[in-house]
């Protein structure tokens, strides 16, 4: 179940709630009982590990990126 972060306007506290996506925009009451809250835009963190390192393709030529795009001096 997704976790959403909210901020309470009256007391300024932030809190998280696990709720279905269908209820993501539903009003949320802060732990102090205030009802004037706003849903925050959260970043997504993905964890895990790869079985093999990711490598750039061989064969010359850049594919972009900072140094491949010419912004490095």
């Amino acid at each position: 179940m997704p976790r959403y972060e909210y901020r309470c306007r009256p007391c300024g506290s932030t809190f998280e709630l696990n709720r279905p996506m269908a209820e993501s925009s539903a009003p949320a009451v802060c732990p102090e009982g205030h009802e004037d809250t706003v849903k925050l835009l959260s970043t997504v963190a993905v964890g895990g590990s790869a079985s093999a390192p990711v490598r750039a393709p061989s064969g010359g030529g850049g594919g972009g990126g900072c140094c491949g795009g010419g912004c490095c001096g």
Side-chain angles (χ1 to χ4, degrees), residues 9-59:
R9 292 180 191 202
C11 69
S13 66
T14 58
F15 60 98
E16 296 178 344
L17 292 177
N18 292 330
R19 49 175 36 178
M21 290 176 70
E23 296 177 17
S24 67
S25 296
V29 178
C30 90
E32 300 295 322
H34 302 119
E35 296 182 8
D36 186 11
T37 60
V38 62
K39 187 173 84 165
L40 301 176
L41 181 62
S42 301
T43 57
V44 176
V46 177
S49 61
S51 60
V54 177
R55 299 173 194 245
S58 59

